[in-house]
Amino acid sequence: MSDKLPNLIDPLLFAERRSILTGVLKISELERLSGMVVNTGGDIAVDARFAKQGKRAVVSGKIQTVLELECQSCLQALAWPITLAFKLAVVSSLQEADSLEIDCEPLLLNGEKVSLHDLIEDEILLAIPDYPRHEYDCIPRHQSRDSDFDDNSQTETNNPFSVLAKLKKTGE
């Protein structure tokens, strides 16, 4: 157990040893995520556990953080809490990935080591919504640019049937 999370890990070796990695990552250390948030000063709490499930190495754990995203309606900062659990099975080919159990996602191992930072960043990026917005209506629907604007007077003058309404009243 350690407080500092290594960047490169060998998931097969860690699974053999049944290692547990807990620690904190800075959002500023994750390049792709840093470009999507308003404030890069936050932390990401990580708890990763390595184990064997049959003959297959498995990485599971939890990720917790609060991201400051930009609301796509009002363009103001929006606190977005993320708490997610992940379970990844180490595979060496796409054929192995297709034969995985339903409760596991594939982690394709091309070489000996995998970037733990990239793995965590990928999981967080998948959890961020495409268009983050406040839960409440952050832009009032009846917001007008001119305070002298009157909806009723404009409706009457632009109504193409207003002439017919006058004819109906006069009886002509």
Side-chain angles (χ1 to χ4, degrees):
M1 191 126 126
S2 70
D3 290 336
K4 183 167 172 27
L5 294 173
N7 184 14
L8 294 176
I9 59 167
D10 181 355
L12 299 176
L13 178 65
F14 278 49
E16 286 292 327
R17 294 180 180 171
R18 304 206 184 285
S19 299
I20 297 173
L21 296 176
T22 57
V24 176
L25 276 176
K26 298 283 185 198
I27 292 175
S28 59
E29 294 176 13
L30 306 176
E31 186 177 328
R32 293 176 291 156
L33 183 61
S34 294
M36 296 182 70
V37 297
V38 176
N39 182 5
T40 59
D43 292 333
I44 303 166
V46 179
D47 177 25
R49 298 173 184 275
F50 299 84
K52 288 286 221 173
Q53 195 171 37
K55 294 182 179 181
R56 192 173 308 273
V58 176
V59 182
S60 62
K62 271 189 171 180
I63 300 171
Q64 290 183 319
T65 187
V66 177
L67 302 175
E68 279 192 51
L69 303 175
E70 183 178 63
C71 174
Q72 296 302 298
S73 293
C74 66
L75 303 178
Q76 299 297 318
L78 163 67
W80 196 268
I82 291 181
T83 301
L84 39 102
F86 62 93
K87 186 173 181 183
L88 307 170
V90 179
V91 296
S92 59
S93 68
L94 294 175
Q95 290 80 17
E96 280 186 63
D98 289 338
S99 66
L100 282 178
E101 297 175 20
I102 295 174
D103 68 334
C104 289
E105 293 291 322
L107 173 60
L108 189 60
L109 183 64
N110 291 332
E112 290 181 12
K113 302 207 178 214
V114 174
S115 171
L116 182 64
H117 293 190
D118 287 348
L119 189 144
I120 292 165
E121 186 175 29
D122 289 344
E123 293 295 324
I124 293 172
L125 290 174
L126 289 171
I128 296 176
D130 292 333
Y131 302 101
R133 296 187 335 209
H134 288 104
E135 290 182 8
Y136 57 89
D137 191 12
C138 53
I139 298 179
R141 294 176 191 224
H142 302 292
Q143 186 177 26
S144 64
R145 292 184 185 150
D146 186 7
S147 60
D148 297 332
F149 181 72
D150 185 12
D151 288 334
N152 295 334
S153 64
Q154 184 183 14
T155 306
E156 288 179 17
T157 58
N158 291 338
N159 187 352
F161 300 105
S162 62
V163 174
L164 293 176
K166 289 179 186 175
L167 289 175
K168 184 178 177 182
K169 287 180 184 176
T170 58
E172 293 180 15

